[in-house]
Each structure stands twice: as structure tokens, then as C-alpha cells.
Amino acid sequence: MRILVVGGGCGGTIVANNLARRLSGEIRARKAKITMLSASDRHMYQPGLLYVAFGQMMPDELYRDQASLLESCIEFHVDPVEQFMLDQNQVKTKSGKVYSYDILVIATGSRIMPRKIPGLEEGAETCYTEQGAVKMFKALREFQGGKVSIVVGVPHKCPIAPVEITFALHDYFTARGIRDKVQLKYNYPINRIHSIENVAKWAKPEFDRMGVEYETLFNVEEVDVENKIVKSMEGSEDKYDLLISIPEHHGMEVIEKNGLGQDGWIPTDRFQLTMEGHDNVYVLGDTTNLPVSKTGSAAHFEAEVVAENIASIVKIGTPVSEYDGKVYCFIEAGHDRATYAMFNYENPPDLKAANKSMHWFKMSYNKMYWTSVRGLL
Amino acid sequence: MSETKIIDARNTYCPGPLMELITYMKQADVGDTLELLSTDNGTADDVPEWINKVGHEMVSSEKIDEVWHIKVRKAK
Ligand SMILES: Cc1cc2nc3c(=O)[nH]c(=O)nc-3n(C[C@H](O)[C@H](O)[C@H](O)COP(=O)(O)OP(=O)(O)OC[C@H]3O[C@@H](n4cnc5c(N)ncnc54)[C@H](O)[C@@H]3O)c2cc1C
């Protein structure tokens, strides 16, 4: 059985390592083979970008060599896929090579699309790329006072980031002793301050205590860079001195170009995690079209289900498990407190008050991530 | 006349039904009808509020067997 994993990020790496362990006997007996194709020889711990944007981590701390994270029996090539030929069970890569498979796993992630909004790329800071996070930190460092506005595009990965960034801004300017000179304004797309009702209920009094202003039903339509005004589809305007954005995301261009899913989101069965109409194609992580948070956490839990099912298909010819929508997200409530949200398709999260020990747990997880993607945690 | 696009946002807590609708509304063409399925009772108020504020069109809203079926049309 030839298993081809496309994407060497959070989801792809966990699937490949988990499978390598489950199928070690079959791999040794040459009855199964795992190949991974990725676009980079490095693996980035993306949640660390949030710390880079506040000068608390250096960019080089976020990377490991991808090959060093993989079980030695996994064949790994940095050769991005350019063509998916699902009817022939083949993909073609940038180098021109054709790879055949029996089971395909797609975990190519997502990307920010600031250019979809006029003025957003030039007018706003964002911490969603390495370059952006460094630039955002420099902008924050130079900022001496005025109004900081936060805007959020839909859809976007890490749904907790808007509130985390806002809490971090409050703590950052407080630590610099200029919080009284900074007005913080949080703008959010739906009619409460977070998509998860219990997070919204928890964050509102925190915002009130910190003096953060907020506007809901604010979907960015345009940024007037010259006059520093951000305009919403709903007809309101927000004048800022510094604009911070979480831009709208799409899946990767290769997904859309190959007609696998509009805007790069692949239609996926919410329980089986197979691509609609293709039982031998599994999809996980950001690139699914599932109504599930685009998080490393979702990618991790999905990867475990996908690996269990592919292994059982190899061993007994049928999948055995279903994804229940599980997500576990840490929520940093500033620079020294945190809480978490855990939920699945059936059960909403029940939020606890933020505390210091959860913050230290998150700081430890920032290191433990590397154990987690190796499939050891 | 294009077909109605079904958005299955039943049993989801994050990003949730309205976020799902906003995502698909961006992908749709003017004149397209979208039908949002939601098990969250708040959706029945949240969606019309957003639709009216942005200037799209509410087509219908009904609860069948504990599932809200909310039809909207992209107007601009
Ligand atoms: C600022 C920030 C904060 C975040 N905070 C959190 C958090 O606190 N908690 C949390 O759970 N998540 C968080 N996330 C989200 C998390 O990082 C992503 O959801 C997760 O990485 C998604 O995993 P994935 O495997 O789908 O995609 P990725 O990890 O992005 O991996 C995609 C892989 O596909 C490869 N690829 C791309 N194109 C091709 C191609 N054509 N062929 C082959 N390979 C290709 C890439 O090189 C990459 O290796 C955060 C993200 C950001 C940006």
C-alpha cells in the first residue's frame, strides 16, 4: 500500500509519524510505504509568531528541519505538488516527477489573502507571517500613543488570535508605561466579540476592565491608507493610527487551481475526513472546508483519526474511527495568564477563569510541540 | 437562476454558523441563494441582523426538526 502525504506541516507530520509507528511491521515487510512531499525543508511552529510580534521570541526559535521530525522510514522530498490527478491516483510535482499512490493525504494548510481588501496589505500590520510579525513588533516599538485598531477577516486560522492579540497589546503598552496614551479598538465580524459564545462572555468583562473598546458586525471592505480609515461592509468607519489585521485566509493556490475546492477549501466529510467523492483521499488541517476551527489542535486530532483509519485499512481493509470535531485551544489572556477552550461537534467549551499556571503550561507546550508532531505526545 | 448552496453549520461551535455564512457569501455571486443549516438558536436572530446591516436579502427562516434553515440571497 503506497501512502502519499502532501504537506509537511502540523497535520501532515503527525499523520506520517503516527502511521509509521502503526505500520512499522508492514513497512519492514515492504507491504506499506509512506512518502511525504512538502514545499519546505523547514517546519514552522506558527503559534510562536504571536510571541515574535511582541518581541518575546526570535523567529529562528520557531523552526526545525522537517527531516529531523520524521520517522526514518518515511521517504521525504521537498518537491511541492503542482498537479493532482485524482482519477489516476497520481500527483505531479514541481520537479516534474509523478508519484502514484493508493491512499493520498492532503494537508497543505492555508495562507493569508490581505490583497483581497484594497489597502489592507499596505495599511495594516499582521503577525501571520514571519516577516509580518517582525514588522509588527517594530511598529509597536515605535508607537508612542494614539489609536490601535484591530480588524479580523473571515475565514482565518487560529480563531482565538483576535482576543489574544488584543490582551497582549494591552499588556505590552502597560509594560511600556504608555497604556494611558493608547486607545485600543477591537472590531469583529459577527454580532458578539468572539465566535465561541462562552469565549465572548468571558472576554467581554476582561475588555471592559482593560478599557478595550469594541465594535461588532464589522467586516473589512477597504482601508483608506492615506487618511488611516478602515471601512466596513456594514457601513461604519474606524479612524486609526496603527491598524492590526488578521487577514482573510484561503487554502493553497494549488488546491484551487486543480479544482479541488473553491478558495482552496476541499469539501471533506466531517466524520471520515475523506474528500467528498474520493474515498482514498484524506484531508485534514486548515485546507478542509469543515466548520471546525482552523487550528493546529484540530489538525492534530484529525491526524490521529486519519492515521488510525489508514492503518486499519492496511491491516483489515476498513476504517475504524471517526473524527468527533475535537479541538483544544489555549487562550493567552495577556503576558502572564491563560485559559483554554475544549469542544467538539456536540459539546460547547466551558471556559474557566484565566490563571498563571495555564500560561506556563502554554509556554511549555511551545517547546513540547516538537515532541507532539513527532507523534510522541 | 443558480442553485441554492447548502451550508451545513449544524453542531459547530467555532467558527460557528454566522462566520460560515460570511465565508460562503464571499464566494457567492450576486443573485445566488444560500441556505444555512444551524442547530444554534441564536442563528435565527444573528443572521437577519447581519444580512440587513450589510444589505443582502433574507429569503426565509424556519425551524424543522430542531434545525434552522435560513435562506438568504446575495444582493451586492
Ligand atoms: C499567528 C498564529 C497563531 C496560531 N496559534 C495557534 C494556537 O494557539 N493553537 C493552535 O492550535 N493553532 C494555532 N495556529 C494555527 C496552526 O498553526 C495551523 O492551524 C496549523 O499549522 C495547520 O496545520 P496544517 O497541517 O493544516 O497546515 P500547516 O502546518 O500550515 O502545513 C502546511 C504544509 O503544507 C506544505 N505545502 C504547501 N503547499 C504545498 C504543495 N503544493 N505541495 C506539498 N506541500 C505543500 C507547506 O510547506 C507546509 O509544510 C496559529 C497560526 C498562526 C499563524
Side-chain angles (χ1 to χ4, degrees):
Chain A
M1 185 81 81
R2 293 158 304 172
I3 301 149
L4 181 64
V5 179
V6 178
C10 179
T13 305
I14 297 173
V15 162
N17 282 328
N18 192 316
L19 262 176
R21 287 211 187 85
R22 288 175 188 272
L23 295 178
S24 59
E26 286 81 356
I27 292 170
R28 255 184 275 117
R30 299 186 182 276
K31 287 188 181 140
K33 180 178 177 182
I34 305 171
T35 305
M36 173 181 279
L37 300 173
S38 195
S40 170
D41 62 351
R42 295 195 303 167
H43 185 127
M44 185 205 256
Y45 175 59
Q46 298 172 28
L49 290 169
L50 213 61
Y51 302 89
V52 173
F54 287 90
Q56 296 169 325
M57 265 186 165
M58 289 296 110
D60 59 358
E61 291 176 67
L62 309 184
Y63 292 98
R64 294 286 185 278
D65 285 338
Q66 175 62 13
S68 75
L69 301 172
L70 295 173
E71 289 287 325
S72 57
C73 61
I74 298 167
E75 188 182 306
F76 174 58
H77 302 284
V78 180
D79 193 6
V81 171
E82 290 194 337
Q83 230 181 314
F84 288 90
M85 299 169 282
L86 301 184
D87 293 337
Q88 287 113 283
N89 290 346
Q90 288 180 327
V91 302
K92 192 170 180 184
T93 61
K94 193 174 174 189
S95 73
K97 275 190 85 173
V98 171
Y99 289 82
S100 300
Y101 59 81
D102 297 299
I103 296 182
L104 176 67
V105 179
I106 306 178
T108 41
S110 60
R111 62 199 167 122
I112 56 167
M113 299 293 291
R115 61 177 182 269
K116 286 201 76 186
I117 304 287
L120 193 66
E121 208 159 18
E122 315 85 270
E125 302 298 333
T126 182
C127 64
Y128 269 61
T129 61
E130 177 188 329
Q131 200 190 13
V134 171
K135 184 168 163 282
M136 176 167 153
F137 177 62
K138 289 179 179 166
L140 290 177
R141 229 174 97 80
E142 279 167 20
F143 197 68
Q144 297 303 330
K147 184 171 170 191
V148 181
S149 292
I150 299 128
V151 289
V152 180
V154 181
H156 66 90
K157 67 180 154 194
C158 192
I160 294 297
V163 289
E164 286 187 313
I165 291 172
T166 307
F167 292 139
L169 285 167
H170 170 82
D171 278 8
Y172 173 78
F173 289 123
T174 304
R176 275 185 49 197
I178 59 165
R179 179 65 183 91
D180 57 337
K181 297 193 181 72
V182 178
Q183 185 187 354
L184 287 179
K185 168 85 189 297
Y186 173 94
N187 299 295
Y188 201 66
I190 64 165
N191 34 10
R192 55 178 181 244
I193 63 170
H194 195 265
S195 56
I196 303 176
E197 195 170 2
N198 285 345
V199 172
K201 278 188 189 150
W202 163 79
K204 196 165 176 288
E206 296 276 334
F207 277 12
D208 290 340
R209 182 178 61 77
M210 294 172 180
V212 175
E213 296 163 36
Y214 41 84
E215 182 171 338
T216 54
L217 292 179
F218 192 106
N219 286 279
V220 185
E221 186 161 67
E222 184 188 343
V223 179
D224 174 350
V225 181
E226 204 178 318
N227 297 304
K228 296 196 165 197
I229 296 171
V230 54
K231 299 175 185 175
S232 79
M233 280 180 203
E234 291 80 4
S236 61
E237 295 192 347
D238 187 18
K239 187 147 175 48
Y240 61 85
D241 296 300
L242 180 65
L243 185 62
I244 295 189
S245 129
I246 295 172
E248 171 181 346
H249 283 59
H250 280 187
M252 302 313 276
E253 201 177 357
V254 66
I255 302 297
E256 183 153 29
K257 267 194 176 162
N258 280 267
L260 267 54
Q262 197 173 354
D263 290 351
W265 310 125
I266 303 176
T268 306
D269 182 282
R270 63 158 80 184
F271 300 111
Q272 294 299 323
L273 301 174
T274 45
M275 179 176 174
E276 277 176 21
H278 297 271
D279 286 349
N280 69 335
V281 179
Y282 284 85
V283 190
L284 73 150
D286 292 352
T287 197
T288 74
N289 76 336
L290 294 179
V292 169
S293 312
K294 296 193 183 300
T295 56
S297 165
H300 184 145
F301 293 119
E302 289 166 354
E304 288 181 352
V305 172
V306 169
E308 192 179 355
N309 282 343
I310 295 176
S312 69
I313 288 170
V314 172
K315 289 173 196 283
I316 61 167
T318 179
V320 288
S321 184
E322 288 193 339
Y323 178 57
D324 66 356
K326 185 172 175 187
V327 179
Y328 178 105
C329 281
F330 290 102
I331 308 177
E332 287 273 43
H335 288 163
D336 64 354
R337 292 176 316 130
T339 179
Y340 69 93
M342 187 164 81
F343 51 97
N344 60 23
Y345 291 141
E346 301 295 332
N347 304 294
D350 174 22
L351 241 68
K352 308 280 184 294
N355 59 47
K356 285 189 195 301
S357 49
M358 275 312 286
H359 167 70
W360 288 111
F361 186 19
K362 166 77 183 193
M363 296 307 277
S364 318
Y365 184 80
N366 291 339
K367 306 281 178 216
M368 286 182 328
Y369 174 77
W370 302 113
T371 325
S372 168
V373 285
R374 284 186 176 101
L376 301 172
L377 192 71
Chain B
M1 183 79 191
S2 46
E3 281 173 37
T4 300
K5 163 99 189 156
I6 308 277
I7 305 162
D8 185 357
R10 288 173 296 170
N11 299 319
T12 74
Y13 296 104
C14 186
L18 182 50
M19 285 282 202
E20 289 295 316
L21 180 64
I22 295 172
T23 298
Y24 283 94
M25 199 60 119
K26 287 183 181 174
Q27 296 180 352
D29 295 322
V30 172
D32 282 356
T33 303
L34 309 180
E35 181 173 347
L36 180 69
L37 309 186
S38 170
T39 41
D40 170 22
N41 283 326
T43 313
D45 296 327
D46 294 352
V47 170
E49 189 185 349
W50 181 67
I51 289 290
N52 293 332
K53 204 161 177 194
V54 182
H56 295 308
E57 226 177 283
M58 276 299 293
V59 176
S60 61
S61 174
E62 56 179 338
K63 195 176 186 182
I64 306 168
D65 297 334
E66 298 306 312
V67 178
W68 282 98
H69 293 245
I70 300 173
K71 272 195 190 167
V72 302
R73 191 170 296 121
K74 181 158 171 156
K76 57 182 203 178

PDB file of all heavy atoms in Angstrom, chain A residues 31 54 86 140 150 175 185 236 252 276 294 317 325 329 340 350 355 370:
ATOM      1  N   LYS A  31       5.261  -4.074   2.728  1.00  0.00           N
ATOM      2  CA  LYS A  31       3.845  -4.147   2.339  1.00  0.00           C
ATOM      3  C   LYS A  31       3.209  -2.761   2.365  1.00  0.00           C
ATOM      4  O   LYS A  31       2.089  -2.572   1.903  1.00  0.00           O
ATOM      5  CB  LYS A  31       3.097  -5.083   3.299  1.00  0.00           C
ATOM      6  CG  LYS A  31       3.429  -6.536   3.066  1.00  0.00           C
ATOM      7  CD  LYS A  31       2.523  -7.412   3.887  1.00  0.00           C
ATOM      8  CE  LYS A  31       2.857  -8.872   3.671  1.00  0.00           C
ATOM      9  NZ  LYS A  31       2.794  -9.644   4.896  1.00  0.00           N
ATOM     10  N   PHE A  54       5.524  40.403  19.622  1.00  0.00           N
ATOM     11  CA  PHE A  54       5.643  41.205  20.841  1.00  0.00           C
ATOM     12  C   PHE A  54       7.065  41.150  21.409  1.00  0.00           C
ATOM     13  O   PHE A  54       7.299  41.491  22.572  1.00  0.00           O
ATOM     14  CB  PHE A  54       4.613  40.747  21.886  1.00  0.00           C
ATOM     15  CG  PHE A  54       3.210  41.179  21.506  1.00  0.00           C
ATOM     16  CD1 PHE A  54       2.409  40.352  20.736  1.00  0.00           C
ATOM     17  CD2 PHE A  54       2.729  42.439  21.861  1.00  0.00           C
ATOM     18  CE1 PHE A  54       1.142  40.764  20.340  1.00  0.00           C
ATOM     19  CE2 PHE A  54       1.464  42.854  21.468  1.00  0.00           C
ATOM     20  CZ  PHE A  54       0.667  42.014  20.709  1.00  0.00           C
ATOM     21  N   LEU A  86      -6.447  12.980  -9.489  1.00  0.00           N
ATOM     22  CA  LEU A  86      -7.118  12.066  -8.559  1.00  0.00           C
ATOM     23  C   LEU A  86      -7.694  10.840  -9.264  1.00  0.00           C
ATOM     24  O   LEU A  86      -7.755   9.762  -8.673  1.00  0.00           O
ATOM     25  CB  LEU A  86      -8.224  12.802  -7.786  1.00  0.00           C
ATOM     26  CG  LEU A  86      -7.770  14.011  -6.941  1.00  0.00           C
ATOM     27  CD1 LEU A  86      -8.955  14.578  -6.162  1.00  0.00           C
ATOM     28  CD2 LEU A  86      -6.642  13.648  -5.986  1.00  0.00           C
ATOM     29  N   LEU A 140       5.098  48.348  16.719  1.00  0.00           N
ATOM     30  CA  LEU A 140       4.629  48.517  18.105  1.00  0.00           C
ATOM     31  C   LEU A 140       5.673  49.258  18.932  1.00  0.00           C
ATOM     32  O   LEU A 140       5.351  50.130  19.749  1.00  0.00           O
ATOM     33  CB  LEU A 140       4.347  47.148  18.751  1.00  0.00           C
ATOM     34  CG  LEU A 140       3.140  46.368  18.231  1.00  0.00           C
ATOM     35  CD1 LEU A 140       3.044  45.017  18.930  1.00  0.00           C
ATOM     36  CD2 LEU A 140       1.841  47.151  18.442  1.00  0.00           C
ATOM     37  N   ILE A 150      -7.992  46.900  15.634  1.00  0.00           N
ATOM     38  CA  ILE A 150      -7.773  45.503  15.260  1.00  0.00           C
ATOM     39  C   ILE A 150      -8.932  45.093  14.360  1.00  0.00           C
ATOM     40  O   ILE A 150     -10.091  45.328  14.703  1.00  0.00           O
ATOM     41  CB  ILE A 150      -7.751  44.622  16.533  1.00  0.00           C
ATOM     42  CG1 ILE A 150      -6.598  45.060  17.442  1.00  0.00           C
ATOM     43  CG2 ILE A 150      -7.615  43.140  16.207  1.00  0.00           C
ATOM     44  CD1 ILE A 150      -7.002  45.338  18.842  1.00  0.00           C
ATOM     45  N   ALA A 175       3.149  47.574  30.060  1.00  0.00           N
ATOM     46  CA  ALA A 175       4.549  47.361  30.480  1.00  0.00           C
ATOM     47  C   ALA A 175       5.442  48.524  30.036  1.00  0.00           C
ATOM     48  O   ALA A 175       6.404  48.856  30.732  1.00  0.00           O
ATOM     49  CB  ALA A 175       5.059  46.043  29.894  1.00  0.00           C
ATOM     50  N   LYS A 185      -9.056  49.566  20.010  1.00  0.00           N
ATOM     51  CA  LYS A 185     -10.396  49.349  19.434  1.00  0.00           C
ATOM     52  C   LYS A 185     -10.405  48.012  18.686  1.00  0.00           C
ATOM     53  O   LYS A 185      -9.620  47.809  17.759  1.00  0.00           O
ATOM     54  CB  LYS A 185     -10.727  50.506  18.487  1.00  0.00           C
ATOM     55  CG  LYS A 185     -11.943  50.298  17.609  1.00  0.00           C
ATOM     56  CD  LYS A 185     -13.237  50.685  18.287  1.00  0.00           C
ATOM     57  CE  LYS A 185     -14.472  50.280  17.490  1.00  0.00           C
ATOM     58  NZ  LYS A 185     -14.591  50.916  16.191  1.00  0.00           N
ATOM     59  N   SER A 236     -19.754  51.170   8.505  1.00  0.00           N
ATOM     60  CA  SER A 236     -19.124  52.041   9.500  1.00  0.00           C
ATOM     61  C   SER A 236     -17.656  52.303   9.136  1.00  0.00           C
ATOM     62  O   SER A 236     -17.073  51.614   8.295  1.00  0.00           O
ATOM     63  CB  SER A 236     -19.252  51.460  10.901  1.00  0.00           C
ATOM     64  OG  SER A 236     -18.621  50.222  10.952  1.00  0.00           O
ATOM     65  N   MET A 252      -4.327  26.681  -0.184  1.00  0.00           N
ATOM     66  CA  MET A 252      -3.231  26.969  -1.100  1.00  0.00           C
ATOM     67  C   MET A 252      -3.740  27.054  -2.540  1.00  0.00           C
ATOM     68  O   MET A 252      -4.725  26.428  -2.915  1.00  0.00           O
ATOM     69  CB  MET A 252      -2.135  25.900  -0.986  1.00  0.00           C
ATOM     70  CG  MET A 252      -1.553  25.764   0.415  1.00  0.00           C
ATOM     71  SD  MET A 252      -1.117  27.328   1.203  1.00  0.00           S
ATOM     72  CE  MET A 252       0.503  27.585   0.499  1.00  0.00           C
ATOM     73  N   GLU A 276     -14.855  14.570  -0.401  1.00  0.00           N
ATOM     74  CA  GLU A 276     -16.147  14.155  -0.967  1.00  0.00           C
ATOM     75  C   GLU A 276     -15.943  13.549  -2.349  1.00  0.00           C
ATOM     76  O   GLU A 276     -15.280  14.149  -3.196  1.00  0.00           O
ATOM     77  CB  GLU A 276     -17.095  15.347  -1.047  1.00  0.00           C
ATOM     78  CG  GLU A 276     -17.789  15.597   0.273  1.00  0.00           C
ATOM     79  CD  GLU A 276     -18.658  16.842   0.254  1.00  0.00           C
ATOM     80  OE1 GLU A 276     -19.051  17.298  -0.829  1.00  0.00           O
ATOM     81  OE2 GLU A 276     -18.908  17.366   1.352  1.00  0.00           O
ATOM     82  N   LYS A 294      -9.748  26.396  12.327  1.00  0.00           N
ATOM     83  CA  LYS A 294      -8.507  26.099  11.608  1.00  0.00           C
ATOM     84  C   LYS A 294      -7.363  26.285  12.592  1.00  0.00           C
ATOM     85  O   LYS A 294      -6.830  27.383  12.751  1.00  0.00           O
ATOM     86  CB  LYS A 294      -8.376  26.999  10.392  1.00  0.00           C
ATOM     87  CG  LYS A 294      -9.486  26.726   9.383  1.00  0.00           C
ATOM     88  CD  LYS A 294      -9.241  27.344   8.058  1.00  0.00           C
ATOM     89  CE  LYS A 294     -10.423  27.097   7.120  1.00  0.00           C
ATOM     90  NZ  LYS A 294     -10.717  25.685   6.856  1.00  0.00           N
ATOM     91  N   GLY A 317      -8.570  -3.790   6.067  1.00  0.00           N
ATOM     92  CA  GLY A 317      -9.350  -3.424   4.887  1.00  0.00           C
ATOM     93  C   GLY A 317     -10.489  -2.452   5.119  1.00  0.00           C
ATOM     94  O   GLY A 317     -11.292  -2.208   4.223  1.00  0.00           O
ATOM     95  N   GLY A 325     -14.868  16.151  15.958  1.00  0.00           N
ATOM     96  CA  GLY A 325     -14.830  17.614  15.966  1.00  0.00           C
ATOM     97  C   GLY A 325     -14.003  18.183  17.104  1.00  0.00           C
ATOM     98  O   GLY A 325     -14.066  19.389  17.391  1.00  0.00           O
ATOM     99  N   CYS A 329      -7.899  24.484  22.587  1.00  0.00           N
ATOM    100  CA  CYS A 329      -7.104  25.684  22.319  1.00  0.00           C
ATOM    101  C   CYS A 329      -6.718  26.378  23.610  1.00  0.00           C
ATOM    102  O   CYS A 329      -7.587  26.668  24.446  1.00  0.00           O
ATOM    103  CB  CYS A 329      -7.921  26.694  21.513  1.00  0.00           C
ATOM    104  SG  CYS A 329      -7.981  26.284  19.802  1.00  0.00           S
ATOM    105  N   TYR A 340      -8.237  27.970  28.583  1.00  0.00           N
ATOM    106  CA  TYR A 340      -8.317  27.103  27.409  1.00  0.00           C
ATOM    107  C   TYR A 340      -9.764  26.854  27.038  1.00  0.00           C
ATOM    108  O   TYR A 340     -10.667  27.044  27.859  1.00  0.00           O
ATOM    109  CB  TYR A 340      -7.604  25.754  27.673  1.00  0.00           C
ATOM    110  CG  TYR A 340      -8.329  24.893  28.686  1.00  0.00           C
ATOM    111  CD1 TYR A 340      -9.254  23.932  28.281  1.00  0.00           C
ATOM    112  CD2 TYR A 340      -8.110  25.063  30.042  1.00  0.00           C
ATOM    113  CE1 TYR A 340      -9.934  23.152  29.212  1.00  0.00           C
ATOM    114  CE2 TYR A 340      -8.791  24.298  30.983  1.00  0.00           C
ATOM    115  CZ  TYR A 340      -9.693  23.346  30.556  1.00  0.00           C
ATOM    116  OH  TYR A 340     -10.373  22.600  31.476  1.00  0.00           O
ATOM    117  N   ASP A 350     -16.484  25.120  27.925  1.00  0.00           N
ATOM    118  CA  ASP A 350     -16.883  25.715  29.197  1.00  0.00           C
ATOM    119  C   ASP A 350     -15.635  26.419  29.716  1.00  0.00           C
ATOM    120  O   ASP A 350     -14.675  25.770  30.112  1.00  0.00           O
ATOM    121  CB  ASP A 350     -17.321  24.568  30.122  1.00  0.00           C
ATOM    122  CG  ASP A 350     -17.615  25.057  31.511  1.00  0.00           C
ATOM    123  OD1 ASP A 350     -17.894  26.260  31.657  1.00  0.00           O
ATOM    124  OD2 ASP A 350     -17.545  24.233  32.456  1.00  0.00           O
ATOM    125  N   ASN A 355      -5.529  31.904  34.466  1.00  0.00           N
ATOM    126  CA  ASN A 355      -4.609  31.894  35.597  1.00  0.00           C
ATOM    127  C   ASN A 355      -3.165  31.749  35.112  1.00  0.00           C
ATOM    128  O   ASN A 355      -2.922  31.470  33.934  1.00  0.00           O
ATOM    129  CB  ASN A 355      -4.978  30.789  36.598  1.00  0.00           C
ATOM    130  CG  ASN A 355      -4.945  29.414  35.955  1.00  0.00           C
ATOM    131  OD1 ASN A 355      -3.995  29.071  35.267  1.00  0.00           O
ATOM    132  ND2 ASN A 355      -6.002  28.638  36.168  1.00  0.00           N
ATOM    133  N   TRP A 370       7.266  20.131  19.499  1.00  0.00           N
ATOM    134  CA  TRP A 370       8.169  19.315  18.671  1.00  0.00           C
ATOM    135  C   TRP A 370       8.059  17.840  19.038  1.00  0.00           C
ATOM    136  O   TRP A 370       8.251  16.966  18.195  1.00  0.00           O
ATOM    137  CB  TRP A 370       9.611  19.835  18.789  1.00  0.00           C
ATOM    138  CG  TRP A 370       9.671  21.275  18.379  1.00  0.00           C
ATOM    139  CD1 TRP A 370       9.943  22.352  19.168  1.00  0.00           C
ATOM    140  CD2 TRP A 370       9.390  21.800  17.064  1.00  0.00           C
ATOM    141  NE1 TRP A 370       9.854  23.512  18.439  1.00  0.00           N
ATOM    142  CE2 TRP A 370       9.517  23.207  17.151  1.00  0.00           C
ATOM    143  CE3 TRP A 370       9.041  21.238  15.845  1.00  0.00           C
ATOM    144  CZ2 TRP A 370       9.313  24.047  16.058  1.00  0.00           C
ATOM    145  CZ3 TRP A 370       8.832  22.064  14.752  1.00  0.00           C
ATOM    146  CH2 TRP A 370       8.973  23.455  14.867  1.00  0.00           C
TER     147      TRP A 370
END
